[in-house]
Amino acid sequence: MTEPLRVGKAELLSALSYALDLTEGQPEGHGVRCCWIGMTIGRAIGLSGADLNDLYYTLLLKDIGCSSNAARICELYLTDDREFKRDAKLLDESLPQVLRFVLSHTGLKAGLSERFRSLVTIFTTGGTIARELIETRCQRGAEIVRMMRFPETVATGILDLDEYWNGKGKPTGLSGTGISIHARIALIAQVADVFHTSAGPLAARREVERRAGSWFDPQLAAAFGALAIDPAFWATLAAPDLKAIVIAMAGDDSSDGVDEDYLDDVAVAFAEVVDSKSPFTSGHSKRVALFTDMIAEEMGLDEARRRYLKRVALLHDIGKLGVSNQILDKPGKPDEEEWQTIRSHPALSEMILSKIAAFADLARVAGAHHERLDGRGYPNGISGDAICAGTRIVTTADIFDALTADRPYRTAMPVSQALGIMEKDLGTALDPDCFHALARAMRKLEKAAA
Ligand SMILES: [Fe+2]
Ligand SMILES: [Fe+2]
């Protein structure tokens, strides 16, 4: 299927916000629910036009920089980054809570001495580290939304997300109306959703009220309070069709189909989110897209098909956002439970991408990238002709990059050695035509470089 796709911008980005929920360890739909809560506040205080439109995308994409600090959280706190992030949002910054939080989240699986070292690091440098983590996340997030051609107002909304009304937030310590209005609304929406999903509407209302004037803009907190008193507010938030409601809330231009160039930009931006998660996957999706395109060119595929496959390659590992860095960056072999989690990522990729109606085919092609011709792959163990030509190309590119890039357990290997290893799997794991196309492309590259 290579004809132009018809996808609305709001549909596209609300679907991809599910990938960000995975990284944040949030219950599915957190981004979409925040969008609804924040937009309802925005409308109630009279925001309109471009302001409301920018608020919409700030809310949907608020966590887009989140994957960039996942590796560092694991390294410092020896814990599951997704669990840590989820619970960190429930935490106020009073000392007993911080202590309880650190003690319950540090090194659950690590040995005692590592756990102790990690605790010392947190107690001596906790503030600085938290600032650094938030700085990375906010700046990276702002850069990524700029890649998707959003205006500075959206980038600033994401930059200011962790700033508090009283000036005690991070990373800059901005205060009051010096903080972007979009960020002030997003912070309330985020806390309200986290408390609502973990403890119910009353807990969410109490928490917003309690933090009014410290974390939150008091006027916005009051606007939320007035809305949240109505049971219909919570009924809509829990509605099964909330995603459709949120898509319908987008500004006029958002339901227009986005063009092919824009789809490419969004695919590159989300590849960046995936690749930022771990130092060992840095640049992986982009390289797989390049190798995919080299193979496709060698095989004589037309421009439209090549463009489509590049997009598949950029997004093939989006489900890895749901795998903790404790597993992804592990220097040794994963244990059975960890291996199961790793093996879930292609199905997660498919689940996320299939939320975009026009991506149904792309989702299937991407979701099969760890299948093998002999049926011994995962997640479904399909074999032979059931694995389509597009998937075979992406799989070949993916394995080639896995062998030629650094991994937690070994350094990169030379091209000839990687091709030699892959050759042994022809007909069992790999498609021979795709492999030979790759080998030819590499020989051409070598000649050109000589
Ligand atoms: Fe993968
Ligand atoms: Fe991959």
Side-chain angles (χ1 to χ4, degrees):
M1 195 178 79
T2 48
E3 57 280 5
L5 298 171
R6 173 122 191 111
V7 193
K9 188 170 169 184
E11 184 201 359
L12 178 69
L13 296 173
S14 60
L16 291 175
S17 77
Y18 283 84
L20 307 179
D21 300 342
L22 290 176
T23 315
E24 285 289 279
Q26 291 295 340
E28 188 175 311
H30 168 72
V32 166
R33 285 191 302 274
C34 281
C35 188
W36 186 81
I37 298 172
M39 285 294 281
T40 308
I41 300 174
R43 284 176 173 178
I45 60 160
L47 289 188
S48 61
D51 271 345
L52 204 55
N53 199 44
D54 291 348
L55 173 64
Y56 186 86
Y57 290 106
T58 304
L59 289 160
L60 269 187
L61 300 171
K62 68 182 181 61
D63 292 324
I64 200 156
C66 52
S67 64
S68 55
N69 60 21
R72 190 142 162 78
I73 287 181
C74 282
E75 194 183 307
L76 291 167
Y77 300 94
L78 299 167
T79 189
D80 182 311
D81 48 305
R82 298 170 61 239
E83 232 173 73
F84 182 96
K85 285 183 172 187
R86 186 194 61 222
D87 292 355
K89 283 196 177 140
L90 287 167
L91 158 98
D92 197 347
E93 282 184 322
S94 59
L95 187 64
Q97 269 180 299
V98 172
L99 283 174
R100 216 177 311 130
F101 177 74
V102 167
L103 289 168
S104 62
H105 281 82
T106 307
L108 298 175
K109 273 186 157 181
L112 271 179
S113 69
E114 285 121 314
R115 184 174 166 147
F116 178 71
R117 264 202 311 278
S118 172
L119 281 174
V120 169
T121 313
I122 294 163
F123 286 125
T124 51
T125 55
T128 328
I129 290 168
R131 209 198 66 242
E132 273 175 24
L133 288 175
I134 288 171
E135 203 163 28
T136 312
R137 159 209 162 108
C138 296
Q139 284 171 356
R140 205 67 202 104
E143 274 167 37
I144 295 173
V145 292
R146 287 186 194 113
M147 285 168 72
M148 291 194 283
R149 306 185 215 165
F150 281 103
E152 267 317 287
T153 32
V154 176
T156 312
I158 289 170
L159 268 176
D160 291 358
L161 185 65
D162 290 295
E163 301 289 359
Y164 300 156
W165 181 255
N166 63 8
K168 291 188 177 165
K170 298 182 177 73
T172 318
L174 296 174
S175 64
T177 50
I179 305 166
S180 138
I181 176 109
H182 301 125
R184 278 181 272 148
I185 295 174
L187 187 64
I188 294 180
Q190 175 173 298
V191 170
D193 182 58
V194 170
F195 276 84
H196 162 242
T197 44
S198 59
L202 191 62
R205 283 171 54 201
R206 278 202 190 126
E207 202 54 37
V208 173
E209 212 176 287
R210 204 170 66 79
R211 299 188 199 187
S214 56
W215 281 35
F216 303 144
D217 176 338
Q219 278 186 2
L220 294 175
F224 169 82
L227 294 162
I229 226 161
D230 184 355
F233 177 92
W234 301 103
T236 310
L237 191 64
D241 60 343
L242 185 69
K243 192 176 136 216
I245 296 172
V246 164
I247 291 172
M249 278 177 129
D252 290 344
D253 71 315
S254 304
S255 56
D256 292 348
V258 295
D259 64 20
E260 295 284 312
D261 288 344
Y262 191 74
L263 278 180
D264 287 342
D265 287 353
V266 169
V268 170
F270 273 82
E272 193 70 38
V273 176
V274 177
D275 290 353
S276 307
K277 186 165 162 68
S278 154
F280 295 102
T281 53
S282 172
H284 171 68
S285 307
K286 278 195 196 154
R287 286 192 304 270
V288 174
L290 173 70
F291 298 141
T292 292
D293 196 45
M294 289 165 79
I295 298 170
E297 185 192 20
E298 269 307 314
M299 294 178 87
L301 302 191
D302 65 31
E303 276 301 321
R305 187 71 187 162
R306 281 172 60 184
R307 192 174 198 177
Y308 168 84
L309 286 178
K310 255 190 287 182
R311 238 175 251 159
V312 174
L314 285 167
L315 298 171
H316 76 284
D317 270 339
I318 197 165
K320 271 204 181 149
L321 291 174
V323 182
S324 164
N325 282 66
Q326 246 195 335
I327 301 175
L328 287 181
D329 301 346
K330 189 177 175 177
K333 257 191 151 187
D335 64 28
E336 192 40 47
E337 201 188 321
E338 292 165 338
W339 185 228
Q340 292 249 335
T341 312
I342 294 173
R343 286 164 73 107
S344 69
H345 84 269
L348 277 178
S349 294
E350 185 168 347
M351 185 272 284
I352 294 160
L353 297 170
S354 62
K355 287 184 184 295
I356 306 158
F359 276 20
D361 182 69
L362 189 149
R364 266 192 306 276
V365 178
H369 74 270
H370 285 291
E371 300 290 0
R372 294 166 49 107
L373 291 175
D374 61 9
R376 288 173 50 231
Y378 62 89
N380 297 317
I382 54 172
S383 63
D385 291 345
I387 304 171
C388 74
T391 295
R392 293 173 187 215
I393 294 177
V394 175
T395 303
T396 308
D398 187 37
I399 293 179
F400 181 67
D401 186 62
L403 292 171
T404 51
D406 280 328
R407 277 291 186 266
Y409 41 88
R410 59 150 176 76
T411 50
M413 66 175 69
V415 169
S416 55
Q417 195 184 342
L419 291 175
I421 289 177
M422 289 169 77
E423 205 165 9
K424 294 187 191 125
D425 284 335
L426 295 188
T428 48
L430 290 169
D431 179 289
D433 292 343
C434 298
F435 170 79
H436 291 303
L438 172 71
R440 283 198 304 278
M442 285 301 135
R443 275 199 298 275
K444 278 189 192 162
L445 204 64
E446 253 170 28
K447 256 191 206 157

mmCIF file of all heavy atoms in Angstrom, residues 400-420:
data_model
loop_
_atom_site.group_PDB
_atom_site.id
_atom_site.type_symbol
_atom_site.label_atom_id
_atom_site.label_comp_id
_atom_site.label_asym_id
_atom_site.label_seq_id
_atom_site.Cartn_x
_atom_site.Cartn_y
_atom_site.Cartn_z
ATOM 1 N N PHE A 400 21.286 -6.090 10.708
ATOM 2 C CA PHE A 400 22.589 -5.549 10.299
ATOM 3 C C PHE A 400 23.017 -4.430 11.252
ATOM 4 O O PHE A 400 24.169 -4.376 11.682
ATOM 5 C CB PHE A 400 22.500 -5.032 8.859
ATOM 6 C CG PHE A 400 23.792 -4.475 8.338
ATOM 7 C CD1 PHE A 400 24.876 -5.306 8.120
ATOM 8 C CD2 PHE A 400 23.922 -3.120 8.074
ATOM 9 C CE1 PHE A 400 26.085 -4.798 7.648
ATOM 10 C CE2 PHE A 400 25.121 -2.603 7.599
ATOM 11 C CZ PHE A 400 26.201 -3.451 7.386
ATOM 12 N N ASP A 401 22.087 -3.555 11.617
ATOM 13 C CA ASP A 401 22.461 -2.475 12.542
ATOM 14 C C ASP A 401 22.774 -3.019 13.930
ATOM 15 O O ASP A 401 23.696 -2.546 14.590
ATOM 16 C CB ASP A 401 21.373 -1.401 12.640
ATOM 17 C CG ASP A 401 21.876 -0.234 13.487
ATOM 18 O OD1 ASP A 401 22.879 0.393 13.074
ATOM 19 O OD2 ASP A 401 21.340 0.020 14.582
ATOM 20 N N ALA A 402 22.000 -4.017 14.365
ATOM 21 C CA ALA A 402 22.265 -4.590 15.695
ATOM 22 C C ALA A 402 23.687 -5.152 15.758
ATOM 23 O O ALA A 402 24.370 -5.026 16.775
ATOM 24 C CB ALA A 402 21.250 -5.681 15.996
ATOM 25 N N LEU A 403 24.153 -5.747 14.663
ATOM 26 C CA LEU A 403 25.494 -6.338 14.664
ATOM 27 C C LEU A 403 26.590 -5.282 14.513
ATOM 28 O O LEU A 403 27.672 -5.421 15.071
ATOM 29 C CB LEU A 403 25.616 -7.365 13.522
ATOM 30 C CG LEU A 403 24.772 -8.631 13.675
ATOM 31 C CD1 LEU A 403 24.805 -9.446 12.386
ATOM 32 C CD2 LEU A 403 25.257 -9.476 14.845
ATOM 33 N N THR A 404 26.319 -4.240 13.745
ATOM 34 C CA THR A 404 27.388 -3.269 13.460
ATOM 35 C C THR A 404 27.399 -2.078 14.418
ATOM 36 O O THR A 404 28.208 -1.173 14.275
ATOM 37 C CB THR A 404 27.284 -2.749 12.003
ATOM 38 O OG1 THR A 404 25.948 -2.296 11.771
ATOM 39 C CG2 THR A 404 27.640 -3.828 10.993
ATOM 40 N N ALA A 405 26.480 -2.065 15.401
ATOM 41 C CA ALA A 405 26.494 -0.977 16.398
ATOM 42 C C ALA A 405 26.940 -1.532 17.748
ATOM 43 O O ALA A 405 26.842 -2.740 17.982
ATOM 44 C CB ALA A 405 25.093 -0.379 16.518
ATOM 45 N N ASP A 406 27.404 -0.644 18.631
ATOM 46 C CA ASP A 406 27.784 -1.068 19.984
ATOM 47 C C ASP A 406 26.553 -1.570 20.738
ATOM 48 O O ASP A 406 25.469 -1.045 20.590
ATOM 49 C CB ASP A 406 28.357 0.116 20.769
ATOM 50 C CG ASP A 406 29.813 0.367 20.408
ATOM 51 O OD1 ASP A 406 30.516 -0.611 20.097
ATOM 52 O OD2 ASP A 406 30.225 1.532 20.429
ATOM 53 N N ARG A 407 26.756 -2.596 21.554
ATOM 54 C CA ARG A 407 25.675 -3.129 22.382
ATOM 55 C C ARG A 407 26.161 -3.180 23.830
ATOM 56 O O ARG A 407 27.359 -3.145 24.073
ATOM 57 C CB ARG A 407 25.315 -4.554 21.916
ATOM 58 C CG ARG A 407 24.357 -4.576 20.734
ATOM 59 C CD ARG A 407 22.987 -4.082 21.197
ATOM 60 N NE ARG A 407 21.935 -4.190 20.199
ATOM 61 C CZ ARG A 407 21.583 -3.218 19.391
ATOM 62 N NH1 ARG A 407 22.240 -2.069 19.404
ATOM 63 N NH2 ARG A 407 20.572 -3.367 18.560
ATOM 64 N N PRO A 408 25.218 -3.288 24.802
ATOM 65 C CA PRO A 408 25.691 -3.304 26.194
ATOM 66 C C PRO A 408 26.692 -4.429 26.435
ATOM 67 O O PRO A 408 27.610 -4.304 27.231
ATOM 68 C CB PRO A 408 24.420 -3.553 27.005
ATOM 69 C CG PRO A 408 23.278 -3.282 26.120
ATOM 70 C CD PRO A 408 23.764 -3.353 24.707
ATOM 71 N N TYR A 409 26.525 -5.554 25.731
ATOM 72 C CA TYR A 409 27.348 -6.725 26.032
ATOM 73 C C TYR A 409 28.502 -6.947 25.058
ATOM 74 O O TYR A 409 29.283 -7.862 25.212
ATOM 75 C CB TYR A 409 26.454 -7.976 26.081
ATOM 76 C CG TYR A 409 25.401 -8.013 24.997
ATOM 77 C CD1 TYR A 409 25.681 -8.564 23.760
ATOM 78 C CD2 TYR A 409 24.149 -7.447 25.215
ATOM 79 C CE1 TYR A 409 24.729 -8.578 22.761
ATOM 80 C CE2 TYR A 409 23.181 -7.448 24.216
ATOM 81 C CZ TYR A 409 23.477 -8.015 22.986
ATOM 82 O OH TYR A 409 22.537 -8.004 21.991
ATOM 83 N N ARG A 410 28.611 -6.138 23.980
ATOM 84 C CA ARG A 410 29.764 -6.280 23.093
ATOM 85 C C ARG A 410 29.924 -5.013 22.237
ATOM 86 O O ARG A 410 28.971 -4.252 22.063
ATOM 87 C CB ARG A 410 29.630 -7.511 22.183
ATOM 88 C CG ARG A 410 28.399 -7.463 21.310
ATOM 89 C CD ARG A 410 28.572 -8.177 19.998
ATOM 90 N NE ARG A 410 27.314 -8.153 19.270
ATOM 91 C CZ ARG A 410 26.841 -7.091 18.640
ATOM 92 N NH1 ARG A 410 27.520 -5.952 18.638
ATOM 93 N NH2 ARG A 410 25.676 -7.133 18.018
ATOM 94 N N THR A 411 31.134 -4.838 21.692
ATOM 95 C CA THR A 411 31.337 -3.660 20.854
ATOM 96 C C THR A 411 30.918 -3.976 19.405
ATOM 97 O O THR A 411 30.659 -5.123 19.063
ATOM 98 C CB THR A 411 32.827 -3.238 20.862
ATOM 99 O OG1 THR A 411 33.585 -4.402 20.587
ATOM 100 C CG2 THR A 411 33.231 -2.642 22.189
ATOM 101 N N ALA A 412 30.871 -2.928 18.611
ATOM 102 C CA ALA A 412 30.432 -3.076 17.217
ATOM 103 C C ALA A 412 31.363 -4.018 16.445
ATOM 104 O O ALA A 412 32.537 -4.125 16.752
ATOM 105 C CB ALA A 412 30.445 -1.707 16.558
ATOM 106 N N MET A 413 30.815 -4.709 15.452
ATOM 107 C CA MET A 413 31.699 -5.564 14.638
ATOM 108 C C MET A 413 31.795 -5.009 13.213
ATOM 109 O O MET A 413 30.906 -4.298 12.753
ATOM 110 C CB MET A 413 31.210 -7.004 14.635
ATOM 111 C CG MET A 413 29.887 -7.239 13.971
ATOM 112 S SD MET A 413 29.490 -9.001 13.902
ATOM 113 C CE MET A 413 29.194 -9.395 15.612
ATOM 114 N N PRO A 414 32.907 -5.328 12.508
ATOM 115 C CA PRO A 414 33.066 -4.822 11.143
ATOM 116 C C PRO A 414 31.986 -5.364 10.207
ATOM 117 O O PRO A 414 31.420 -6.434 10.451
ATOM 118 C CB PRO A 414 34.440 -5.352 10.713
ATOM 119 C CG PRO A 414 35.065 -5.953 11.912
ATOM 120 C CD PRO A 414 34.018 -6.183 12.928
ATOM 121 N N VAL A 415 31.752 -4.607 9.116
ATOM 122 C CA VAL A 415 30.692 -4.949 8.166
ATOM 123 C C VAL A 415 30.851 -6.376 7.627
ATOM 124 O O VAL A 415 29.894 -7.154 7.592
ATOM 125 C CB VAL A 415 30.693 -3.933 6.996
ATOM 126 C CG1 VAL A 415 29.797 -4.386 5.856
ATOM 127 C CG2 VAL A 415 30.248 -2.567 7.503
ATOM 128 N N SER A 416 32.089 -6.732 7.241
ATOM 129 C CA SER A 416 32.280 -8.051 6.624
ATOM 130 C C SER A 416 31.920 -9.165 7.605
ATOM 131 O O SER A 416 31.300 -10.169 7.223
ATOM 132 C CB SER A 416 33.730 -8.211 6.155
ATOM 133 O OG SER A 416 34.585 -7.969 7.245
ATOM 134 N N GLN A 417 32.307 -8.971 8.861
ATOM 135 C CA GLN A 417 31.995 -9.987 9.876
ATOM 136 C C GLN A 417 30.475 -10.076 10.088
ATOM 137 O O GLN A 417 29.925 -11.189 10.181
ATOM 138 C CB GLN A 417 32.683 -9.609 11.187
ATOM 139 C CG GLN A 417 32.729 -10.732 12.191
ATOM 140 C CD GLN A 417 33.327 -10.271 13.521
ATOM 141 O OE1 GLN A 417 33.997 -9.229 13.601
ATOM 142 N NE2 GLN A 417 33.088 -11.046 14.570
ATOM 143 N N ALA A 418 29.812 -8.919 10.124
ATOM 144 C CA ALA A 418 28.354 -8.911 10.318
ATOM 145 C C ALA A 418 27.662 -9.632 9.157
ATOM 146 O O ALA A 418 26.767 -10.469 9.374
ATOM 147 C CB ALA A 418 27.846 -7.474 10.424
ATOM 148 N N LEU A 419 28.100 -9.334 7.930
ATOM 149 C CA LEU A 419 27.479 -9.987 6.770
ATOM 150 C C LEU A 419 27.728 -11.491 6.812
ATOM 151 O O LEU A 419 26.858 -12.294 6.466
ATOM 152 C CB LEU A 419 28.010 -9.382 5.466
ATOM 153 C CG LEU A 419 27.561 -7.932 5.183
ATOM 154 C CD1 LEU A 419 28.247 -7.380 3.928
ATOM 155 C CD2 LEU A 419 26.048 -7.808 5.046
ATOM 156 N N GLY A 420 28.914 -11.877 7.268
ATOM 157 C CA GLY A 420 29.258 -13.298 7.382
ATOM 158 C C GLY A 420 28.316 -14.016 8.348
ATOM 159 O O GLY A 420 27.851 -15.135 8.081
#
